Coordinates of all heavy atoms in Angstrom, one line a residue:
C1 N 101.0 61.6 111.2 CA 100.2 60.5 111.1 C 101.1 59.2 110.8 O 100.9 58.2 111.4 CB 99.1 60.7 110.1 SG 98.0 59.3 109.9
L2 N 102.0 59.4 109.9 CA 102.9 58.3 109.5 C 103.8 57.9 110.7 O 104.0 56.7 110.9 CB 103.7 58.7 108.3 CG 104.7 57.6 107.8 CD1 103.9 56.4 107.3 CD2 105.5 58.2 106.6
Q3 N 104.3 58.9 111.4 CA 105.1 58.7 112.5 C 104.4 57.9 113.6 O 104.9 57.0 114.2 CB 105.7 60.0 113.1 CG 106.6 59.8 114.2 CD 107.2 61.1 114.8 OE1 106.8 62.1 114.4 NE2 108.1 61.0 115.7
Y4 N 103.1 58.3 113.9 CA 102.3 57.7 114.9 C 102.1 56.2 114.5 O 102.2 55.3 115.3 CB 101.0 58.4 115.1 CG 100.0 57.7 116.0 CD1 100.2 57.7 117.3 CD2 99.0 57.0 115.5 CE1 99.4 57.0 118.2 CE2 98.1 56.3 116.3 CZ 98.3 56.3 117.7 OH 97.4 55.7 118.5
G5 N 101.7 56.0 113.3 CA 101.4 54.6 112.8 C 102.7 53.8 112.8 O 102.6 52.6 113.2
G6 N 103.8 54.3 112.4 CA 105.1 53.6 112.4 C 105.5 53.2 113.8 O 105.9 52.1 114.1
N7 N 105.4 54.2 114.7 CA 105.8 53.9 116.1 C 104.9 52.9 116.8 O 105.3 52.1 117.5 CB 105.8 55.2 116.9 CG 106.9 56.2 116.6 OD1 107.9 55.7 116.0 ND2 106.8 57.4 116.8
Q8 N 103.6 53.0 116.5 CA 102.6 52.1 117.1 C 102.9 50.7 116.5 O 102.8 49.7 117.3 CB 101.2 52.6 116.8 CG 100.2 51.7 117.5 CD 98.8 52.2 117.2 OE1 98.5 53.1 116.4 NE2 97.8 51.6 117.9
G9 N 103.1 50.6 115.3 CA 103.4 49.3 114.7 C 104.6 48.6 115.2 O 104.6 47.4 115.5
I10 N 105.7 49.4 115.3 CA 106.9 48.9 115.8 C 106.8 48.5 117.3 O 107.2 47.4 117.7 CB 108.1 49.9 115.6 CG1 108.4 50.0 114.1 CG2 109.3 49.5 116.4 CD1 109.3 51.2 113.8
G11 N 106.1 49.3 118.0 CA 105.9 49.0 119.5 C 105.1 47.8 119.7 O 105.4 47.0 120.5
N12 N 104.0 47.7 118.9 CA 103.2 46.5 119.0 C 103.9 45.2 118.6 O 103.8 44.2 119.3 CB 101.9 46.6 118.2 CG 100.9 47.5 118.8 OD1 100.9 47.8 120.0 ND2 100.0 48.1 118.0
R13 N 104.7 45.3 117.6 CA 105.5 44.1 117.1 C 106.5 43.7 118.2 O 106.7 42.5 118.5 CB 106.2 44.4 115.8 CG 106.9 43.3 115.2 CD 105.9 42.2 114.9 NE 106.6 41.0 114.5 CZ 106.2 39.7 114.8 NH1 105.0 39.5 115.3 NH2 106.9 38.7 114.4
L14 N 107.3 44.7 118.7 CA 108.3 44.4 119.8 C 107.6 43.8 121.0 O 108.1 42.9 121.6 CB 109.1 45.6 120.1 CG 110.1 46.1 119.1 CD1 110.7 47.4 119.5 CD2 111.1 45.0 118.8
N15 N 106.5 44.4 121.4 CA 105.8 43.9 122.6 C 105.3 42.5 122.3 O 105.3 41.6 123.2 CB 104.6 44.8 122.9 CG 103.9 44.4 124.1 OD1 104.4 43.8 125.0 ND2 102.6 44.9 124.3
G16 N 104.7 42.2 121.1 CA 104.3 40.9 120.8 C 105.4 39.8 120.8 O 105.2 38.7 121.3
S17 N 106.6 40.2 120.3 CA 107.7 39.3 120.3 C 108.2 39.0 121.7 O 108.5 37.8 122.0 CB 108.9 39.9 119.5 OG 108.5 40.1 118.2
A18 N 108.2 40.0 122.5 CA 108.6 39.8 123.9 C 107.6 39.0 124.7 O 108.0 38.1 125.4 CB 108.8 41.2 124.6
R19 N 106.4 39.2 124.4 CA 105.3 38.4 125.1 C 105.4 36.9 124.6 O 105.3 36.0 125.5 CB 103.9 39.0 124.8 CG 102.8 38.3 125.5 CD 101.4 38.9 125.2 NE 101.2 39.2 123.8 CZ 101.0 40.4 123.4 NH1 100.9 41.5 124.2 NH2 100.8 40.7 122.1
S20 N 105.6 36.7 123.3 CA 105.7 35.3 122.8 C 106.9 34.6 123.5 O 106.8 33.5 123.9 CB 105.8 35.3 121.3 OG 104.7 35.8 120.7
Y21 N 108.0 35.3 123.5 CA 109.2 34.7 124.1 C 109.0 34.4 125.6 O 109.3 33.3 126.0 CB 110.4 35.7 124.0 CG 111.6 35.2 124.8 CD1 112.4 34.2 124.3 CD2 111.9 35.8 126.0 CE1 113.5 33.7 125.0 CE2 113.0 35.3 126.8 CZ 113.8 34.3 126.3 OH 114.8 33.9 127.0
Y22 N 108.4 35.3 126.3 CA 108.1 35.1 127.7 C 107.2 33.9 127.9 O 107.4 33.0 128.8 CB 107.5 36.3 128.4 CG 107.2 36.2 129.8 CD1 108.2 36.1 130.8 CD2 105.9 36.1 130.2 CE1 107.9 35.9 132.1 CE2 105.6 36.0 131.6 CZ 106.6 35.9 132.5 OH 106.3 35.7 133.8
L23 N 106.1 33.9 127.2 CA 105.1 32.8 127.4 C 105.6 31.4 127.0 O 105.4 30.4 127.6 CB 103.8 33.1 126.7 CG 103.0 34.3 127.2 CD1 101.8 34.6 126.3 CD2 102.5 34.0 128.7
L24 N 106.3 31.4 125.8 CA 106.8 30.1 125.3 C 108.0 29.6 126.0 O 108.1 28.4 126.4 CB 107.0 30.2 123.8 CG 105.8 30.5 122.9 CD1 106.2 30.8 121.5 CD2 104.9 29.3 123.0
D25 N 109.0 30.5 126.2 CA 110.3 30.0 126.8 C 110.3 30.1 128.3 O 110.8 29.2 128.9 CB 111.4 30.8 126.1 CG 111.6 30.5 124.7 OD1 111.1 29.5 124.2 OD2 112.2 31.3 123.9
S26 N 109.9 31.2 128.9 CA 110.1 31.4 130.3 C 109.0 30.7 131.1 O 109.3 30.0 132.1 CB 110.1 32.9 130.7 OG 111.2 33.6 130.1
I27 N 107.8 30.8 130.7 CA 106.7 30.2 131.3 C 106.5 28.7 130.9 O 106.2 27.8 131.7 CB 105.3 30.9 131.1 CG1 105.4 32.3 131.5 CG2 104.1 30.2 131.7 CD1 105.4 32.6 133.0
G28 N 106.8 28.4 129.7 CA 106.8 27.0 129.2 C 105.5 26.6 128.6 O 105.1 25.4 128.6
L29 N 104.7 27.5 128.1 CA 103.4 27.2 127.5 C 103.7 26.6 126.1 O 104.7 27.0 125.5 CB 102.5 28.4 127.3 CG 102.0 29.1 128.6 CD1 101.2 30.3 128.2 CD2 101.2 28.2 129.4
D30 N 102.8 25.8 125.6 CA 103.0 25.3 124.2 C 102.2 26.3 123.4 O 101.5 27.2 123.9 CB 102.6 23.9 124.0 CG 101.1 23.6 124.4 OD1 100.3 24.6 124.6 OD2 100.7 22.4 124.4
S31 N 102.3 26.2 122.1 CA 101.7 27.1 121.2 C 100.1 27.1 121.2 O 99.5 28.2 121.1 CB 102.1 26.9 119.7 OG 101.8 25.6 119.3
A32 N 99.5 26.0 121.5 CA 98.1 25.9 121.6 C 97.6 26.7 122.9 O 96.6 27.4 122.8 CB 97.6 24.5 121.7
Q33 N 98.3 26.5 124.0 CA 98.0 27.3 125.2 C 98.2 28.8 125.0 O 97.4 29.6 125.5 CB 98.8 26.8 126.4 CG 98.5 25.4 126.8 CD 99.5 24.9 127.8 OE1 100.7 25.2 127.8 NE2 99.0 24.1 128.8
M34 N 99.2 29.1 124.3 CA 99.5 30.5 124.0 C 98.4 31.1 123.2 O 97.9 32.2 123.4 CB 100.8 30.7 123.4 CG 101.2 32.2 123.3 SD 102.8 32.4 122.5 CE 102.4 33.5 121.2
G35 N 97.9 30.4 122.2 CA 96.8 30.9 121.3 C 95.6 31.0 122.1 O 94.8 32.0 121.9
S36 N 95.3 30.1 123.0 CA 94.1 30.2 123.8 C 94.1 31.4 124.7 O 93.2 32.1 124.9 CB 93.9 28.9 124.6 OG 93.7 27.8 123.8
L37 N 95.3 31.6 125.3 CA 95.5 32.7 126.2 C 95.4 34.0 125.5 O 94.7 35.0 126.0 CB 96.9 32.6 126.9 CG 97.2 33.7 127.9 CD1 96.2 33.7 129.1 CD2 98.6 33.6 128.4
S38 N 96.0 34.1 124.3 CA 95.9 35.3 123.5 C 94.4 35.6 123.1 O 94.0 36.8 123.1 CB 96.8 35.2 122.3 OG 98.1 35.1 122.7
G39 N 93.7 34.6 122.7 CA 92.3 34.8 122.3 C 91.5 35.2 123.4 O 90.6 36.1 123.3
F40 N 91.7 34.6 124.6 CA 90.9 35.0 125.8 C 91.2 36.4 126.2 O 90.3 37.2 126.6 CB 91.2 34.0 127.0 CG 90.4 34.3 128.2 CD1 89.1 34.0 128.2 CD2 91.0 34.8 129.3 CE1 88.3 34.2 129.4 CE2 90.3 35.1 130.4 CZ 88.9 34.8 130.5
A41 N 92.5 36.8 126.1 CA 92.9 38.2 126.5 C 92.3 39.2 125.5 O 92.2 40.4 125.9 CB 94.4 38.3 126.5
G42 N 92.0 38.8 124.3 CA 91.4 39.8 123.3 C 89.9 40.0 123.4 O 89.3 40.8 122.7
I43 N 89.2 39.2 124.3 CA 87.8 39.3 124.4 C 87.3 40.8 124.7 O 86.4 41.2 124.1 CB 87.2 38.3 125.4 CG1 87.4 36.9 124.8 CG2 85.8 38.6 125.8 CD1 87.0 35.8 125.8
P44 N 87.9 41.5 125.6 CA 87.5 42.9 125.9 C 87.5 43.8 124.6 O 86.6 44.6 124.4 CB 88.4 43.4 127.0 CG 88.9 42.2 127.7 CD 89.0 41.1 126.6
W45 N 88.5 43.6 123.8 CA 88.6 44.4 122.6 C 87.6 44.0 121.6 O 87.1 44.8 120.8 CB 90.0 44.3 121.9 CG 91.0 45.1 122.7 CD1 92.0 44.6 123.5 CD2 91.2 46.5 122.7 NE1 92.7 45.6 124.0 CE2 92.2 46.8 123.6 CE3 90.5 47.5 122.1 CZ2 92.7 48.1 123.8 CZ3 90.9 48.8 122.3 CH2 92.0 49.1 123.2
Q46 N 87.2 42.7 121.6 CA 86.1 42.3 120.7 C 84.7 42.8 121.1 O 83.9 43.0 120.3 CB 86.1 40.7 120.6 CG 87.4 40.2 120.0 CD 87.6 38.7 120.2 OE1 86.7 38.1 120.8 NE2 88.6 38.2 119.7
L47 N 84.6 43.0 122.4 CA 83.3 43.5 123.0 C 83.2 45.0 123.0 O 82.1 45.5 123.3 CB 83.1 42.9 124.4 CG 82.9 41.4 124.5 CD1 82.8 41.0 126.0 CD2 81.7 40.9 123.8
K48 N 84.3 45.7 122.7 CA 84.3 47.1 122.8 C 83.3 47.8 121.9 O 82.6 48.7 122.3 CB 85.7 47.6 122.4 CG 85.9 49.1 122.5 CD 87.3 49.4 122.1 CE 87.5 50.9 122.0 NZ 88.8 51.3 121.6
S49 N 83.1 47.3 120.7 CA 82.2 47.9 119.8 C 80.7 47.6 120.2 O 79.8 48.5 120.0 CB 82.4 47.5 118.3 OG 82.4 46.1 118.2
L50 N 80.5 46.5 120.8 CA 79.2 46.1 121.3 C 78.8 47.1 122.4 O 77.7 47.6 122.5 CB 79.1 44.7 121.8 CG 77.8 44.2 122.4 CD1 76.7 44.2 121.4 CD2 78.0 42.9 123.0
F51 N 79.7 47.3 123.4 CA 79.4 48.2 124.5 C 79.3 49.7 124.0 O 78.5 50.5 124.6 CB 80.4 48.1 125.6 CG 80.3 46.8 126.4 CD1 81.3 45.9 126.4 CD2 79.1 46.6 127.1 CE1 81.1 44.7 127.1 CE2 78.9 45.4 127.8 CZ 80.0 44.5 127.8
G52 N 80.1 50.1 123.0 CA 79.9 51.4 122.4 C 78.5 51.6 121.8 O 77.9 52.6 122.0
L53 N 78.1 50.6 121.1 CA 76.8 50.6 120.5 C 75.7 50.7 121.5 O 74.7 51.5 121.5 CB 76.5 49.4 119.5 CG 75.2 49.4 118.8 CD1 75.1 50.5 117.8 CD2 75.1 48.0 118.1
L54 N 75.9 49.9 122.6 CA 74.9 49.9 123.7 C 74.8 51.2 124.4 O 73.7 51.8 124.6 CB 75.3 48.8 124.7 CG 74.5 48.7 126.0 CD1 73.1 48.1 125.6 CD2 75.2 47.8 127.0
S55 N 76.0 51.9 124.7 CA 75.9 53.1 125.3 C 75.4 54.3 124.4 O 74.9 55.2 124.9 CB 77.3 53.5 125.9 OG 78.2 53.8 124.8
D56 N 75.6 54.1 123.1 CA 75.1 55.2 122.2 C 73.6 55.1 122.0 O 72.9 56.1 121.8 CB 75.7 55.0 120.8 CG 77.1 55.6 120.8 OD1 77.5 56.3 121.8 OD2 77.9 55.2 119.9
T57 N 73.0 53.9 122.1 CA 71.6 53.7 121.8 C 70.7 53.6 123.1 O 69.5 53.9 123.0 CB 71.3 52.4 121.0 OG1 71.9 51.3 121.7 CG2 72.0 52.5 119.6
L58 N 71.3 53.3 124.2 CA 70.5 53.2 125.4 C 71.0 54.1 126.5 O 71.8 53.7 127.4 CB 70.5 51.8 126.0 CG 69.9 50.7 125.1 CD1 70.1 49.3 125.7 CD2 68.4 50.9 124.9
P59 N 70.7 55.4 126.5 CA 71.2 56.3 127.5 C 70.5 56.0 128.8 O 69.4 55.6 128.9 CB 70.8 57.7 127.0 CG 69.6 57.4 126.1 CD 69.8 56.1 125.5
I60 N 71.2 56.3 129.9 CA 70.7 56.2 131.3 C 70.6 57.6 131.8 O 71.6 58.3 131.9 CB 71.7 55.4 132.1 CG1 71.8 53.9 131.6 CG2 71.2 55.3 133.6 CD1 72.8 53.1 132.3
D61 N 69.4 58.0 132.1 CA 69.0 59.4 132.6 C 69.5 60.4 131.6 O 69.9 61.5 132.0 CB 69.6 59.6 134.0 CG 68.8 59.1 135.1 OD1 67.6 58.9 134.9 OD2 69.3 58.9 136.2
G62 N 69.5 60.1 130.4 CA 69.9 61.1 129.3 C 71.4 61.1 129.1 O 71.8 61.8 128.2
Y63 N 72.2 60.4 129.8 CA 73.6 60.4 129.6 C 74.0 59.1 128.9 O 73.5 58.0 129.2 CB 74.3 60.4 131.0 CG 74.1 61.7 131.8 CD1 73.2 61.7 132.8 CD2 74.8 62.8 131.4 CE1 73.0 62.9 133.5 CE2 74.6 64.0 132.1 CZ 73.7 64.0 133.2 OH 73.5 65.1 133.9
H64 N 74.9 59.3 127.9 CA 75.3 58.1 127.1 C 76.5 57.4 127.7 O 76.5 56.2 127.7 CB 75.6 58.6 125.7 CG 74.4 59.0 124.9 ND1 73.6 58.1 124.3 CD2 73.8 60.2 124.7 CE1 72.6 58.7 123.7 NE2 72.7 60.0 124.0
R65 N 77.6 58.1 128.0 CA 78.8 57.4 128.4 C 79.1 57.3 129.9 O 79.5 56.3 130.4 CB 80.0 58.1 127.7 CG 79.9 58.2 126.3 CD 80.4 57.0 125.6 NE 80.3 57.2 124.1 CZ 80.6 56.3 123.2 NH1 81.1 55.2 123.6 NH2 80.4 56.6 122.0
S66 N 78.8 58.4 130.6 CA 79.2 58.5 132.0 C 78.6 57.3 132.9 O 79.3 56.7 133.7 CB 78.7 59.8 132.6 OG 79.3 60.9 131.9
P67 N 77.3 57.0 132.8 CA 76.8 55.9 133.7 C 77.5 54.6 133.4 O 77.8 53.8 134.3 CB 75.3 55.8 133.3 CG 75.0 57.1 132.7 CD 76.2 57.6 132.1
Y68 N 77.8 54.3 132.1 CA 78.4 53.1 131.7 C 79.9 53.0 132.3 O 80.4 52.0 132.7 CB 78.4 52.8 130.2 CG 77.0 52.5 129.7 CD1 76.2 53.5 129.2 CD2 76.4 51.3 129.9 CE1 74.9 53.3 128.7 CE2 75.2 51.0 129.4 CZ 74.4 52.0 128.9 OH 73.1 51.7 128.4
M69 N 80.5 54.2 132.3 CA 81.9 54.3 132.8 C 81.9 54.0 134.3 O 82.7 53.4 134.9 CB 82.5 55.6 132.4 CG 82.8 55.7 131.0 SD 83.4 57.3 130.4 CE 84.9 57.5 131.3
M70 N 80.9 54.6 135.0 CA 80.7 54.4 136.4 C 80.4 52.9 136.7 O 81.0 52.4 137.7 CB 79.6 55.3 137.0 CG 80.0 56.8 136.9 SD 81.4 57.2 137.8 CE 80.8 57.0 139.5
I71 N 79.6 52.3 136.0 CA 79.2 50.9 136.2 C 80.5 50.0 136.0 O 80.8 49.2 136.8 CB 78.1 50.5 135.3 CG1 76.8 51.1 135.7 CG2 77.9 49.0 135.2 CD1 75.6 51.0 134.7
G72 N 81.2 50.3 134.9 CA 82.4 49.5 134.6 C 83.5 49.7 135.7 O 84.1 48.8 136.1
G73 N 83.6 51.0 136.1 CA 84.6 51.2 137.2 C 84.2 50.6 138.5 O 85.1 50.0 139.2
T74 N 83.0 50.6 138.8 CA 82.5 49.9 140.0 C 82.7 48.4 139.9 O 83.2 47.7 140.9 CB 81.0 50.2 140.3 OG1 80.8 51.6 140.3 CG2 80.5 49.5 141.5
I75 N 82.4 47.8 138.8 CA 82.7 46.4 138.6 C 84.2 46.1 138.7 O 84.6 45.1 139.3 CB 82.1 45.9 137.3 CG1 80.5 45.9 137.3 CG2 82.5 44.5 136.9 CD1 79.9 45.7 136.0
G76 N 85.0 46.9 138.1 CA 86.4 46.7 138.2 C 87.0 46.8 139.6 O 87.8 46.0 140.0
M77 N 86.5 47.8 140.4 CA 86.9 47.8 141.8 C 86.4 46.7 142.6 O 87.2 46.2 143.4 CB 86.4 49.2 142.4 CG 87.2 50.4 141.8 SD 86.8 51.9 142.7 CE 85.2 51.8 143.3
A78 N 85.2 46.2 142.3 CA 84.7 45.0 143.0 C 85.5 43.8 142.7 O 85.6 42.9 143.5 CB 83.2 44.9 142.7
A79 N 86.0 43.7 141.5 CA 86.7 42.5 141.0 C 88.1 42.4 141.7 O 88.6 41.3 141.8 CB 86.9 42.5 139.5
N80 N 88.6 43.5 142.2 CA 89.9 43.5 142.9 C 89.7 43.0 144.3 O 90.3 42.5 145.0 CB 90.6 44.8 142.8 CG 91.2 45.1 141.5 OD1 91.5 44.2 140.8 ND2 91.2 46.4 141.1

């Protein structure tokens, strides 16, 4: 458990540093734009618990997760 947490923490930190360098130095965004982009990119993680609650409380044909996964996959394929 400690190894997993340590590896995940180090990996996330290195990834965040690389992303910050790339966005600020290579792309040329200022810090306000980077903050907006990071906040916008985090919206799916913020909605994750809402969709989990929705799928747990409103089953479709008696199934809790599968129909929602199919709907999400279909929307994702249509978006491409």
Side-chain angles (χ1 to χ4, degrees):
C1 183
L2 179 64
Q3 181 180 6
Y4 174 75
N7 288 339
Q8 186 178 8
I10 291 170
N12 285 340
R13 184 65 190 149
L14 288 174
N15 185 22
S17 297
R19 183 177 46 240
S20 294
Y21 171 78
Y22 177 71
L23 291 174
L24 292 172
D25 293 339
S26 297
I27 301 290
L29 295 179
D30 62 10
S31 58
Q33 291 172 324
M34 188 181 128
S36 296
L37 181 64
S38 297
F40 184 72
I43 289 175
W45 285 106
Q46 295 166 0
L47 295 176
K48 182 179 174 184
S49 54
L50 175 67
F51 286 119
L53 182 64
L54 178 72
S55 70
D56 285 344
T57 57
L58 296 174
I60 298 175
D61 275 340
Y63 296 102
H64 288 278
R65 305 274 178 182
S66 301
Y68 290 99
M69 291 173 63
M70 294 297 292
I71 291 168
T74 303
I75 291 172
M77 288 189 331
N80 285 330

